[in-house]
Amino acid sequence: MCPSCEPEPAANGNGQANAASNSTNGSSNGSNSHPGFTAVRTKSNPHPHRANPYQPVGDFLSNVSNFKIIESTLREGEQFANAFFDTEKKIEIAKALDDFGVDYIELTSPAASEQSRADCEAICKLGLKAKILTHIRCHMDDARIAVQTGVDGVDVVIGTSSYLMEHSHGKDMTYITNTAIEVINFVKSHNIEIRFSSEDSFRSNLVDLLSIYSTVDKIGVNRVGIADTVGCATPRQVYDLIRTLRGVVSCDIETHFHNDTGCAIANAYCALEAGATHIDTSVLGIGERNGITPLGGLMARMIVADREYVMSKYKLHKLKDIEELVAQAVEVNIPFNNYITGFCSFTHKAGVHAKAILNNPSTYEIINPADFGLSRYVHFASRLTGWNAIKSRAAQLNIEMTDEQYKECTAKIKALADIRPIAVDDADSIIRAFHRSMKLGKPVDLLPNMTAEEKELLAQKEKEIDIPEKRELEAAAGTNGVTT
Ligand SMILES: CC(=O)SCCNC(=O)CCNC(=O)[C@H](O)C(C)(C)COP(=O)(O)OP(=O)(O)OC[C@H]1O[C@@H](n2cnc3c(N)ncnc32)[C@H](O)[C@@H]1OP(=O)(O)O
Ligand SMILES: O=C(O)CCC(=O)C(=O)O
Ligand SMILES: [Zn+2]
């Protein structure tokens, strides 16, 4: 099968949920297979290969087709307000991330607590494919503990902005540089990967930054790290800084973006464009405050840039399970608008969208849900529903009518949807009853269990219905075209 094609989803005709209440829910049960909508059969191959004039241009600096993920749910994510991971949960998450295909798993400092140290050792012993890192302060005490845990690498960090130099650790650049050299040499002497990072890079002095990165690069660190610790950076600032740094160091460049101003994914992308090699993520973006670049959001961004690379490296159909695992562990709901796995990420509602999606999903989808093992849905039970969606739903119910009849039936669905939120079952009942009335040639009760009040409101609405095609038919049949 063409990698761009998805298997045709089965019709989901037995839905019970109320579409409108779904859409105001604000959170989901973590599934995109919601019963309020129906999975659709589309006419043409979804997402055929087609030249995209906006696709990334070839660029000798860019790593959008060659990046690595440092997954920090078990480090940055543990700093999320709600997070508590016991050993068992940490192991479960580490295994799931490893299976997904992340390149590195970063763990909380073993200096944080005795259990943190023991958990770090336990995860190192799992023999995962992903390399295991731990994250420490730029301090020999922490480094001595870290190298004893069995990790593959140590991520060292120290604040370089004036805020942090003054109010966090109180050390100047000379002290920072000397300590960094000592810690780096010590970790390297244990044949362990080493990364040196400046905290709050975007509020640090550029000359200080380039100077210390140049020094640690010469000593032979595996990576340097740039961190937008307070989430203040814009994509343009990120591009400029990483591009400049790329010209100064020869080692890899890791980047870490907080999401306080909503730029964490865009910043990660720009960093890769400018030559960064590694992106820090966490599942659902959990971390300090409102967190960092989310793993799923990064996957969404990168699959659009280079689908082949992303598909070949990561088991995307496991994303939803990992998010549910972490969401449960930290007791949060997956947001309704979450990248990829939000309950309505692939649901198309307005008639204009539905029609085009039914013809070709690329019209209103940049990501193919099937790449993530998910389905797309067309909503067909609202006042925004169009006759093309109703025709497609009728086909799923094995009902065939003329185009004029689909339109008239749609108008009846809209009339009811103008009165109250309607469920899939309501729309289905109307389609069935309308079809029956067409066959019998006489009106039937569209919704037998409607309340008297609803019936009266609906009758009012029906008076207002004006379908041009119906008017023409009625005129042709000798009526004045006015429904009474
Ligand atoms: C931006 C980030 O997310 S960086 C990663 C943050 N991670 C963590 O903080 C891990 C969890 N932390 C902990 O368990 C504790 O903070 C510990 C064990 C690291 C330190 O605990 P304590 O010694 O009780 O210090 P406390 O947490 O109150 O203050 C931080 C200390 O680290 C020092 N410090 C802060 N940043 C750094 C750094 N990057 N390198 C070296 N020292 C640092 C501060 O000066 C302060 O030391 P002091 O009060 O003795 O002068
Ligand atoms: O180690 C790093 O590069 C990042 C540390 C961190 O979490 C931050 O600065 O926000
Ligand atoms: Zn952070």
Side-chain angles (χ1 to χ4, degrees), residues 237-299:
Q237 287 169 330
V238 169
Y239 190 89
D240 285 349
L241 180 55
I242 302 293
R243 200 188 188 305
T244 306
L245 181 60
R246 188 62 290 170
V248 171
V249 297
S250 55
C251 62
D252 284 342
I253 301 175
E254 174 180 339
T255 52
H256 180 94
F257 297 106
H258 276 263
N259 204 28
D260 302 67
T261 61
C263 290
I265 299 172
N267 283 346
Y269 186 79
C270 268
L272 291 175
E273 283 190 310
T277 51
H278 295 64
I279 303 290
D280 289 6
T281 66
S282 68
V283 177
L284 297 170
I286 59 170
E288 289 282 351
R289 308 182 306 283
N290 82 334
I292 63 165
T293 308
L295 177 65
L298 187 71
M299 291 294 96

Side-chain angles (χ1 to χ4, degrees), residues 75-76 135 157 195 197 199 227 229 256 258:
R75 195 283 291 178
E76 177 77 50
H135 186 260
V157 70
R195 181 222 65 181
S197 186
E199 204 185 325
T229 306
H256 180 94
H258 276 263

Side-chain angles (χ1 to χ4, degrees), residues 75-76 79 108-109 111-113 135 137-139 142 157-159 168-171 199 229 288:
R75 195 283 291 178
E76 177 77 50
Q79 296 173 223
T108 292
S109 170
S113 71
H135 186 260
R137 296 175 299 175
C138 186
H139 198 293
D142 291 10
V157 70
I158 187 156
S168 174
H169 52 68
K171 305 295 192 299
E199 204 185 325
T229 306
E288 289 282 351

Side-chain angles (χ1 to χ4, degrees), residues 89-120:
K89 198 50 79 181
K90 283 188 189 176
I91 289 175
E92 199 182 347
I93 292 170
K95 284 182 172 170
L97 290 170
D98 185 52
D99 187 34
F100 182 79
V102 301
D103 304 272
Y104 290 84
I105 294 172
E106 187 180 61
L107 305 178
T108 292
S109 170
S113 71
E114 175 48 27
Q115 192 59 51
S116 302
R117 191 196 59 73
D119 291 345
C120 185

